[in-house]
């Protein structure tokens, strides 16, 4: 159980990093503009399935809901649920021996739903040409989605 508690603190720290990523990204782009770029896009010239997500999270912090990536609302819901779940787990002093297995099962289901949202939103994975459907296009380095 001690390892599981360490895992919970690690995941909680990672979630805090993701929540702060828009601020961190802004500073990194200012300090290291040549380094802080999407590796996938730099190598292939195509946007990755996560392109626009950091900017979307920054918009979400400002209360704006016009997202660049159609999967961002699902990702934000997943992160919010994960954050709440980790707080509950960290506040519970006593837990069942079966809790880590339930935690794993829940996360497999949630990650499957998140992957499914990518597929439902029409994002194709690399290897089949452009990874975005024709109605999605890239303008001056910013992905915009027409609806």
């Amino acid at each position: 159980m001690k390892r599981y508690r360490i895992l919970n603190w690690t995941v909680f720290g990672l979630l805090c990093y993701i929540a702060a990523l828009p601020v961190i990204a802004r500073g990194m782009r200012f300090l290291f503009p040549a380094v802080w770029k999407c590796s996938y896009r730099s190598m292939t010239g195509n946007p990755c399935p996560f392109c626009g997500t950091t900017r979307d999270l920054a918009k979400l912090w400002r209360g704006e809901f016009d997202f660049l990536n159609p999967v961002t609302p699902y990702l934000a819901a997943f992160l919010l649920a994960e954050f709440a779940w980790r707080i509950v787990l960290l506040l519970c002093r006593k837990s069942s021996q079966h809790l880590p297995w339930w935690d794993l099962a829940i996360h497999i289901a949630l990650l499957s739903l998140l992957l499914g949202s990518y597929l439902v939103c029409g994002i194709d994975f690399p290897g089949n040409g452009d990874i975005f459907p024709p109605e999605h296009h890239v303008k001056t380095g910013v992905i915009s989605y027409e609806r």
Side-chain angles (χ1 to χ4, degrees):
M1 279 319 244
K2 183 174 174 135
R3 278 193 235 163
Y4 182 62
R5 190 145 181 88
I6 292 170
L7 172 73
N8 286 327
W9 277 109
T10 304
V11 172
F12 184 75
L14 181 63
L15 290 168
C16 290
Y17 169 76
I18 292 171
L21 187 60
V23 175
I24 293 168
R26 183 177 231 174
M28 293 298 285
R29 273 194 307 271
F30 177 74
L31 294 172
F32 308 106
V35 176
W36 194 259
K37 292 184 179 184
C38 176
S39 301
Y40 181 83
R41 187 172 184 151
S42 297
M43 289 188 288
T44 66
N46 294 324
C48 73
F50 297 104
C51 274
T53 305
T54 304
R55 287 171 287 193
D56 286 346
L57 290 175
K59 286 181 176 186
L60 196 59
W61 277 111
R62 292 189 304 264
E64 299 172 18
F65 297 98
D66 56 328
F67 299 123
L68 299 171
N69 191 319
V71 181
T72 299
Y74 305 110
L75 180 64
F78 173 78
L79 292 173
L80 188 61
E82 180 69 28
F83 194 76
W85 177 244
R86 290 299 155 191
I87 288 175
V88 168
L89 289 175
L90 289 171
L91 290 177
C92 291
R93 288 287 177 197
K94 292 199 174 218
S95 59
S96 167
Q97 294 288 66
H98 301 291
L99 188 60
W101 294 108
W102 280 105
D103 192 19
L104 179 65
I106 289 169
H107 282 85
I108 288 172
L110 286 175
L111 289 172
S112 297
L113 288 173
L114 190 60
L115 177 62
S117 70
Y118 272 96
L119 298 174
V120 167
C121 287
I123 295 177
D124 194 8
F125 288 98
N128 298 331
D130 192 12
I131 63 172
F132 292 102
E135 66 269 10
H136 300 176
H137 59 282
V138 178
K139 289 183 186 174
T140 63
V142 176
I143 300 170
S144 64
Y145 294 88
E146 296 176 350
R147 295 182 187 202

